[in-house]
């Protein structure tokens, strides 16, 4: 409950930074988050391993909406490291600051922003090397083509739609595919057409995290998918 409540709190802060007229969305989000279908196993370690990276990603996305400084980095790097070593998908929490820093550097060409961008990339690489050295290695070959098989696409779609807890596989895959297409459409609409990148970037980052997480999950289950 604490982790879920903190996640909602930082979503509230993000809405305050981007569009206060959307505060009403906290009502359906809260109803969804605290639904018994979602929270029935919130106390289980396996569930917490998924919730912690989600919370870290939300906090990091919020922190980098502010002016970048040393204090933010002192808070951000430990959060990203915690997420990375909590769950393999937790590596995606390095993306929100990376995307924000690239966006701000491209917009301002500030040396200060460039400095923080380099520091973040170095921290990300060092953490990745440490993680790689600590994780037991296997001889299982990761096959990128599994992403483009019908089973792989179905799994990605099901992963994206998994929060909806749909009973039937057909509905799960359909909602996942619809989610993917809508994500691409809204990203194009707000970035290219409306040019409101700064206000929509946090939510586009969440979409990016969801899609990349599904890719990582599929690649991690390559053998299961190809032998299915």
């Amino acid at each position: 409950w604490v982790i879920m409540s903190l996640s909602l709190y930082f979503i509230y802060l993000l809405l305050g930074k981007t569009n206060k007229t959307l505060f009403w969305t906290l009502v359906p989000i809260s109803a969804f988050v605290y639904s018994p279908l979602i929270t029935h196993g919130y106390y289980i370690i396996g569930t917490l391993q998924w919730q912690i990276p989600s919370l870290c990603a939300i906090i990091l996305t919020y922190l980098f909406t502010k002016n970048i400084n040393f204090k933010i980095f002192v808070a951000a790097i430990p959060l990203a490291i915690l997420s990375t070593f909590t769950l393999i998908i937790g590596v995606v929490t390095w993306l929100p600051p990376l995307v924000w820093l690239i966006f701000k550097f491209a917009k301002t060409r500030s040396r200060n922003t460039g400095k923080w961008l380099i520091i973040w990339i170095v921290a990300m690489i060092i953490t990745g090397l440490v993680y790689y050295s600590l994780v037991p290695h296997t001889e299982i070959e990761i096959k990128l083509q599994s992403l483009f098989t019908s089973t792989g696409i179905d799994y990605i779609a099901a992963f994206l739609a998994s929060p909806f807890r749909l009973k039937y596989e057909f509905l799960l895959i359909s909602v996942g595919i619809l989610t993917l297409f809508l994500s691409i459409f809204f990203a194009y609409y707000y970035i290219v057409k409306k040019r409101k990148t700064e206000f929509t970037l946090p939510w586009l980052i969440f979409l990016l995290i969801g899609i990349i997480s599904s890719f990582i999950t599929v690649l991690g289950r390559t053998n299961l998918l190809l032998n299915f």
Side-chain angles (χ1 to χ4, degrees):
W1 285 92
V2 173
I3 294 176
M4 292 184 293
S5 298
L6 283 172
S7 298
L8 281 173
Y9 173 69
F10 280 98
I11 288 175
Y12 164 78
L13 294 179
L14 265 176
L15 287 170
K17 277 280 188 178
T18 54
N19 192 340
K20 294 181 179 180
T21 61
L22 293 178
F23 276 146
W24 65 269
T25 60
L26 288 170
V27 175
I29 290 174
S30 299
F32 179 75
V33 168
Y34 293 115
S35 166
L37 291 175
I38 306 299
T39 62
H40 70 282
Y42 67 90
Y43 51 86
I44 300 174
I45 296 298
T47 305
L48 290 176
Q49 284 183 308
W50 286 87
Q51 292 176 350
I52 290 172
S54 298
L55 173 61
C56 291
I58 294 169
I59 294 175
L60 287 169
T61 303
Y62 169 71
L63 287 177
F64 280 78
T65 60
K66 299 173 172 287
N67 293 325
I68 311 301
N69 55 47
F70 179 74
K71 291 182 180 179
I72 287 178
F73 263 71
V74 169
I77 291 178
L79 283 172
I81 292 173
L82 169 65
S83 177
T84 300
F85 287 93
T86 299
L87 190 71
I88 180 61
I89 292 180
V91 298
V92 300
T93 54
W94 291 90
L95 284 176
L98 182 64
V99 173
W100 268 116
L101 288 168
I102 291 173
F103 170 74
K104 290 183 177 182
F105 180 73
K107 186 178 180 180
T108 63
R109 297 293 177 180
S110 166
R111 286 187 179 183
N112 188 52
T113 304
K115 175 190 69 176
W116 293 122
L117 176 59
I118 292 171
I119 292 173
W120 188 259
I121 292 173
V122 170
M124 185 169 58
I125 292 172
I126 292 173
T127 304
L129 291 174
V130 172
Y131 184 90
Y132 182 78
S133 66
L134 293 176
V135 173
H137 298 163
T138 67
E139 296 181 356
I140 298 175
E141 182 183 357
I142 295 177
K143 299 179 181 179
L144 291 175
Q145 63 266 32
S146 63
L147 290 173
F148 305 102
T149 63
S150 59
T151 305
I153 293 171
D154 287 348
Y155 191 91
I156 290 171
F159 182 93
L160 292 174
S162 59
F164 295 101
R165 296 295 193 273
L166 297 172
K167 182 178 180 180
Y168 300 104
E169 183 180 353
F170 171 75
L171 285 176
L172 200 64
I173 293 172
S174 299
V175 170
I177 292 173
L178 179 62
T179 300
L180 186 59
F181 277 109
L182 286 176
S183 301
I184 295 172
F185 169 76
F186 284 116
Y188 171 80
Y189 179 77
Y190 283 107
I191 293 176
V192 179
K193 291 291 186 181
K194 290 292 186 178
R195 299 188 181 277
K196 293 183 177 180
T197 307
E198 189 168 357
F199 292 104
T200 57
L201 191 58
W203 316 109
L204 296 177
I205 287 173
F206 291 153
L207 292 174
L208 180 65
I209 287 175
I211 293 170
I212 292 178
S213 296
S214 67
F215 288 172
I216 292 174
T217 306
V218 169
L219 290 175
R221 303 185 181 188
T222 296
N223 283 358
L224 293 175
L225 292 174
L226 293 180
N227 295 325
F228 180 73

